[in-house]
Amino acid sequence: MELYHGTTVQNLPEIRPHLDGYLSTPYVFATPNFASALRYAVYNKGNNYFGIENDTATIVESFPGSFEKTYCGTSGVIYVLPPESFQLTELHPNKSVTVIEYVSTETVKPIKAIQIPDVGQKILRGEELGYIKIYRYPDIPKNFLAFGEGPRQKIQRFLYKHFVQKKK
């Protein structure tokens, strides 16, 4: 199994554990889903919401044009990591996060680095090939646009309902 770690940081000889804001232990994070790793190959990840549905990476725009603003014209790198020190995590404490995530408490040396000159173009190609689904803001399913919530809460509730609850 290959594990991937997406970042904006080029030429890393090693990847050290760090805190992510949700967990109290520093970890190196990785995923076997290349499309999931692409999400982390950009700096501002908060403009879109991300989940996995039936092994398909799913990106939901939080406002019109947020996909392009976040990903297009942005370079990044995906590091391929050795799986030996990693273990599969339980569901993230943030119940709206539905990525397949592995963690390691050890510093990890990448096997190789895959340069991504334009993350947006790579994601769009993944959509063409069928392993990424993008919900554009005007085309987001209407079943979560209710109760006067802000866009972030609507999308988080939608992702939780359709991706997390189905797994239970």
Side-chain angles (χ1 to χ4, degrees), residues 20 29-33 35-40 49-53 55-59 88-92 94-103 159 163-164 167:
D20 79 339
F29 296 88
T31 177
N33 185 294
S36 268
L38 280 173
R39 177 189 189 271
Y40 293 96
Y49 303 94
F50 189 87
I52 301 288
E53 180 181 30
D55 294 326
T56 300
T58 304
I59 296 171
L88 181 63
T89 62
E90 295 296 319
L91 183 66
H92 221 277
N94 175 352
K95 299 296 185 200
S96 70
V97 175
T98 56
V99 296
I100 302 166
E101 197 168 55
Y102 285 75
V103 295
L159 290 173
F163 302 148
V164 178
K167 291 182 179 182

Side-chain angles (χ1 to χ4, degrees), residues 5 9-12 77-80 110-116:
H5 177 89
V9 183
Q10 304 285 327
N11 304 312
L12 286 176
V77 61
I78 305 293
Y79 292 99
V80 179
I111 296 169
K112 68 178 176 178
I114 302 167
Q115 301 299 320
I116 311 294

Side-chain angles (χ1 to χ4, degrees), residues 35 38 56-57 59 67 72 119-136:
L38 280 173
T56 300
I59 296 171
F67 172 82
C72 293
V119 175
Q121 291 303 311
K122 189 77 168 175
I123 292 172
L124 289 171
R125 180 70 177 136
E127 185 179 38
E128 288 174 12
L129 296 173
Y131 66 87
I132 298 176
K133 170 68 178 149
I134 303 171
Y135 285 105
R136 301 294 183 160

Side-chain angles (χ1 to χ4, degrees), residues 2-168:
E2 287 191 328
L3 291 176
Y4 306 103
H5 177 89
T7 181
T8 59
V9 183
Q10 304 285 327
N11 304 312
L12 286 176
E14 61 185 21
I15 300 173
R16 296 183 183 146
H18 69 279
L19 290 172
D20 79 339
Y22 291 107
L23 305 172
S24 59
T25 303
Y27 291 111
V28 173
F29 296 88
T31 177
N33 185 294
F34 188 84
S36 268
L38 280 173
R39 177 189 189 271
Y40 293 96
V42 297
Y43 178 70
N44 187 359
K45 296 171 274 297
N47 288 332
N48 298 282
Y49 303 94
F50 189 87
I52 301 288
E53 180 181 30
N54 300 322
D55 294 326
T56 300
T58 304
I59 296 171
V60 181
E61 282 192 316
S62 60
F63 58 86
S66 64
F67 172 82
E68 285 78 11
K69 179 179 180 182
T70 303
Y71 297 107
C72 293
T74 303
S75 64
V77 61
I78 305 293
Y79 292 99
V80 179
L81 304 180
E84 290 79 21
S85 69
F86 285 87
Q87 62 184 13
L88 181 63
T89 62
E90 295 296 319
L91 183 66
H92 221 277
N94 175 352
K95 299 296 185 200
S96 70
V97 175
T98 56
V99 296
I100 302 166
E101 197 168 55
Y102 285 75
V103 295
S104 174
T105 56
E106 299 176 21
T107 297
V108 180
K109 292 186 184 232
I111 296 169
K112 68 178 176 178
I114 302 167
Q115 301 299 320
I116 311 294
D118 189 319
V119 175
Q121 291 303 311
K122 189 77 168 175
I123 292 172
L124 289 171
R125 180 70 177 136
E127 185 179 38
E128 288 174 12
L129 296 173
Y131 66 87
I132 298 176
K133 170 68 178 149
I134 303 171
Y135 285 105
R136 301 294 183 160
Y137 190 80
D139 300 324
I140 295 172
K142 295 182 189 323
N143 61 338
F144 72 96
L145 299 174
F147 308 111
E149 298 171 298
R152 179 183 208 93
Q153 290 78 25
K154 293 173 191 174
I155 291 170
Q156 285 178 333
R157 188 163 53 84
F158 171 78
L159 290 173
Y160 181 77
K161 179 179 178 184
H162 292 282
F163 302 148
V164 178
Q165 285 183 334
K166 285 183 177 180
K167 291 182 179 182
K168 293 182 179 178

